[in-house]
Amino acid sequence: MKAVRMVPSLLLVPLLLVLMQPGALCARRFRGGRNPQPRRSPPPPTHRSDRGDTTESFPLDFTAVEENMDNFMTQVKNLAQSLYPCSAQKLDHDMKLNFLVNTSVTCNDGSPAGYYLKESRGSRRWLIFLEGGWYCFNKENCDSRYETMRRFMSSSKWPQTKRGTGILSPLPEENPHWWNANMVFIPYCSSDVWSGVTAKTEQNGYAFMGSLIIQEVVKNLLGKGLDNARVLLLAGSSAGGTGVLLNVDRVAELLEGMGYAGIQVRGLSDSGWFLDNKQYHCTDCVDTIGCTPTETIKRGIKYWGSVVPDRCRQSHEGEEWNCFFGYRVFPSIKSPVFVVQWLFDEAQLTVDNIQLTGQPVQEGQWRYIQNLGIELRNTLKDVPAMFAPACLSHEVITRNYWIDVQVKGTSLPRALHCWDRSLHDSRNNKPPPKACPVHLIDNCPWPHCNPTCPTIRDQFTGQEMSVVQFLMHMGFDVQKMAQQQGMDPSKLLGMLSSGS
C-alpha cells in the first residue's frame, strides 16, 4: 500500500515546480498594491530556427495512477489553487483558426481551407486530428449535402476558436497522456474521405482536395514549431480515421522529402476501419446511406480524383477502391498505426442497412450483428496495436468518456501510452515494457457485453437504457443465450444487470 501511495507524491514533485513558477510571476505582478510599478518590455522571442538546443519537456504519465485518478486530480487542483494566486483567471485552452497560406487549396465550394491550432511551448509532440462526417459521391448528393450540411463543404461560417475534447483536451484529467502536446484540428470540408486532389472547375462545381489540405497544413505548421517536433501523431475519427490510413505515409514522405526525416510520424485511426461486406438487404444506390460501401467508394474515387497509398495502389491496380478499407490497406502502410474500432460500429451497421430504431430487431438481424463482430475481430487479429471494445457506438477519441472505456482492464489512454513506450523502446533496441498491453480486443460475443461501454439511450425518449433493456430491444433471447453459455437464465440476467 505504501508503494502505491508514493506514486502520486512522486509525480507531484515536478508538478510543484511547474505550478510554483506562474505563482511567483503572478505574485510579482500584483505586489505593491493597486498601482504596481511599470515593467520593462519582455525581450523579443527567439527565432524558431535558433531552438536546436531547446530541452524537451516530457509530460507526466497520469495513466500510471489511473485507478485512483479522481482522488489524485483533486489533490492536484487543490494544490494548484493554493500555489497559484491567479488560478481564478481564465486560461486560454482554445484552438485558434488559421487559413492555409496556399489559397489554391480549398473546401468543396472554393472557400479557403484551414485548421485550428493550440500551441504548447516546449513540447515536441504534435497531434493533428482529421474530422469525420461521411461524404458525397455525385453532383446530386453533393448538392443535397451542401444544403443540409454546409459546414462540411465550406469554411464560410467556421468559428474563430474551437475547444478540444478527449484526446484534443489540454486538461490532464481528460487527456492523461497527450494533454500538453501541440493540438491541431483540421475541419472536414472536402467530402472525399480526405483523398481528393481535384480543384473546383465550372464543369464539376466542387473541389475535392482532402489529401492536399493535409499536406498544406503540415507545410504551414513547419513555420509554427513542427520543424522541431519529435513525434507527429496523425489522428482521425470516422471518415477522418480512414483518412489517417490513406495519408499517414504521405505525411511521412512529405516531411522526409523536405529534410525532416527525424520527425517520427504515426497514425491513430478511430472508427475508420470499415468492411466491404454484403449488406443485410440490398437497396438501390441513390445516396450515401443506401449504397453498399464498395459501390460508394467505386463511384467516389472517380468523382473525387482520389489518390491512395502507392504500395496499396500497386497491389490493387485498377481496383484502387480496395485501399479505402482498413484490412486491405493496412498491410501496405509503413508508418506505425494504432487502430481503435468498436466491434459493433453504428456507421457500419447503417451502411449495411441494419436499422436499430423503432421495433426490436429480427432474429436474422441479430445474427447479422453478431457476425459483424466476428468479421471485425478476424480482420483485426494481425494488427499489432489496437483497441476494440464490444460496444455498439461510433467514434471515441474526442469524446469526454474516452478514458472510461476499458478492454481487459486497460483504458484507451493507457494503451496509447504503452504503444508510445513500445515504439520508443523499439527504436532504442529495448524489449517492450511489461504489463503494458497494446493489442486489446474484447472476446464477448454481443453488443455492449463490455460493462464499460458508453451509456445507451433510447433514440425516441432520450432515456438511458440498461444493458438488459438494450439487449431485449435488440431481440436478445435470454433462454437461448443462457443455454449456449451453459448457465441458468436467471444467473445470466443477473450478470447482465450487474455489468459483469
Side-chain angles (χ1 to χ4, degrees):
M1 289 296 292
K2 289 183 179 179
V4 173
R5 287 176 180 170
M6 283 175 66
V7 174
S9 301
L10 291 172
L11 286 171
L12 285 173
V13 173
L15 189 62
L16 276 167
L17 298 176
V18 174
L19 291 171
M20 287 172 68
Q21 292 175 6
L25 176 62
C26 189
R28 287 197 302 269
R29 181 179 303 173
F30 290 100
R31 189 174 292 129
R34 296 182 180 179
N35 300 301
Q37 295 297 315
R39 293 174 297 165
R40 296 179 182 177
S41 299
T46 304
H47 194 272
R48 295 202 179 269
S49 62
D50 298 330
R51 295 174 306 170
D53 297 329
T54 301
T55 302
E56 180 180 357
S57 63
F58 291 90
L60 297 175
D61 176 19
F62 288 100
T63 59
V65 290
E66 62 183 358
E67 293 182 359
N68 198 26
M69 178 61 74
D70 291 341
N71 181 50
F72 175 56
M73 291 315 303
T74 299
Q75 294 180 47
V76 171
K77 287 180 178 179
N78 290 339
L79 179 64
Q81 291 284 345
S82 63
L83 290 177
Y84 187 29
C86 296
S87 58
Q89 293 184 358
K90 182 179 181 295
L91 298 177
D92 190 2
H93 291 318
D94 291 341
M95 297 180 281
K96 306 292 193 305
L97 177 61
N98 298 260
F99 288 111
L100 296 182
V101 174
N102 183 353
T103 56
S104 67
V105 177
T106 70
C107 297
N108 288 132
D109 67 347
S111 58
Y115 59 94
Y116 290 86
L117 168 65
K118 180 188 177 297
E119 295 181 67
S120 182
R121 304 288 182 180
S123 174
R124 296 178 62 194
R125 302 200 306 165
W126 287 72
L127 194 159
I128 298 179
F129 180 83
L130 309 180
E131 186 182 23
W134 291 94
Y135 41 73
C136 58
F137 58 85
N138 61 34
K139 181 69 164 58
E140 290 72 29
N141 55 49
C142 283
D143 285 345
S144 175
R145 179 179 172 90
Y146 192 69
E147 290 302 316
T148 59
M149 304 170 68
R150 189 165 299 186
R151 78 172 188 86
F152 288 118
M153 301 183 75
S154 174
S155 64
S156 60
K157 293 188 178 180
W158 286 354
Q160 291 300 306
T161 60
K162 186 173 183 63
R163 179 65 57 92
T165 55
I167 200 169
L168 292 173
S169 171
L171 305 176
E173 63 265 39
E174 186 176 344
N175 186 15
H177 184 48
W178 280 88
W179 62 278
N180 78 331
N182 297 276
M183 302 293 188
V184 181
F185 178 96
I186 313 182
Y188 183 40
C189 67
S190 57
S191 308
D192 57 0
V193 199
W194 298 96
S195 69
V197 293
T198 305
K200 179 181 178 181
T201 65
E202 291 185 6
Q203 287 74 28
N204 62 24
Y206 294 109
F208 297 99
M209 310 184 84
S211 186
L212 292 180
I213 290 171
I214 297 171
Q215 300 266 308
E216 291 301 316
V217 168
V218 170
K219 292 176 186 176
N220 285 193
L221 292 174
L222 287 170
K224 295 180 180 291
L226 181 63
D227 58 322
N228 195 45
R230 178 177 63 88
V231 173
L232 167 56
L233 181 64
L234 183 67
S237 295
S238 193
T242 306
V244 169
L245 302 174
L246 293 172
N247 288 280
V248 64
D249 278 350
R250 286 174 59 82
V251 169
E253 290 160 6
L254 170 68
L255 289 171
E256 184 176 357
M258 297 181 71
Y260 299 101
I263 301 176
Q264 302 167 38
V265 179
R266 304 167 185 171
L268 172 58
S269 174
D270 166 31
S271 303
W273 188 276
F274 291 101
L275 301 181
D276 53 342
N277 55 348
K278 185 178 179 181
Q279 291 177 309
Y280 176 67
H281 66 84
C282 298
T283 56
D284 293 335
C285 183
V286 294
D287 56 29
T288 55
I289 304 297
C291 283
T292 64
T294 301
E295 187 59 33
T296 298
I297 298 302
K298 282 182 178 178
R299 297 187 186 195
I301 200 171
K302 295 178 181 177
Y303 190 57
W304 306 325
S306 298
V307 292
V308 298
D310 287 340
R311 294 175 66 188
C312 187
R313 178 178 51 79
Q314 292 165 8
S315 300
H316 300 282
E317 195 163 353
E319 295 185 326
E320 288 82 1
W321 55 267
N322 283 284
C323 300
F324 283 73
F325 297 96
Y327 75 101
R328 295 187 186 275
V329 69
F330 188 82
S332 70
I333 298 174
K334 293 181 289 185
S335 305
V337 174
F338 192 106
V339 175
V340 180
Q341 186 65 42
W342 303 110
L343 290 180
F344 304 95
D345 188 273
E346 287 179 315
Q348 179 76 56
L349 289 169
T350 297
V351 296
D352 287 344
N353 285 325
I354 292 287
Q355 304 301 324
L356 299 176
T357 57
Q359 297 299 314
V361 298
Q362 301 168 355
E363 185 176 352
Q365 292 174 310
W366 174 248
R367 285 199 304 269
Y368 186 96
I369 292 168
Q370 285 187 293
N371 286 335
L372 173 64
I374 294 171
E375 288 180 44
L376 267 167
R377 280 190 195 91
N378 288 337
T379 64
L380 290 167
K381 66 177 185 290
D382 295 325
V383 177
M386 48 152 291
F387 187 88
C391 305
L392 177 72
S393 195
H394 185 62
E395 302 188 1
V396 63
I397 61 174
T398 57
R399 309 298 193 204
N400 56 12
Y401 55 74
W402 82 298
I403 62 174
D404 300 324
V405 182
Q406 297 185 3
V407 175
K408 300 177 180 176
T410 299
S411 69
L412 178 51
R414 176 67 175 166
L416 288 171
H417 174 65
C418 290
W419 179 56
D420 203 28
R421 284 181 58 191
S422 68
L423 292 174
H424 178 268
D425 290 348
S426 176
R427 290 174 64 88
N428 291 279
N429 297 314
K430 295 181 180 179
K434 295 180 180 179
C436 214
V438 297
H439 183 91
L440 293 155
I441 184 166
D442 268 333
N443 295 322
C444 57
W446 57 76
H448 265 61
C449 54
N450 179 329
T452 67
C453 288
T455 301
I456 315 162
R457 292 187 180 275
D458 187 294
Q459 296 197 10
F460 290 103
T461 66
Q463 299 263 328
E464 288 190 13
M465 299 172 69
S466 69
V467 175
V468 173
Q469 289 173 325
F470 166 71
L471 290 175
M472 293 295 190
H473 171 79
M474 295 286 287
F476 181 85
D477 189 325
V478 175
Q479 297 283 345
K480 183 184 292 186
M481 189 58 66
Q483 186 177 9
Q484 290 177 2
Q485 301 295 319
M487 64 174 65
D488 183 81
S490 60
K491 181 180 179 182
L492 177 59
L493 270 176
M495 290 173 64
L496 292 170
S497 299
S498 64
S500 301

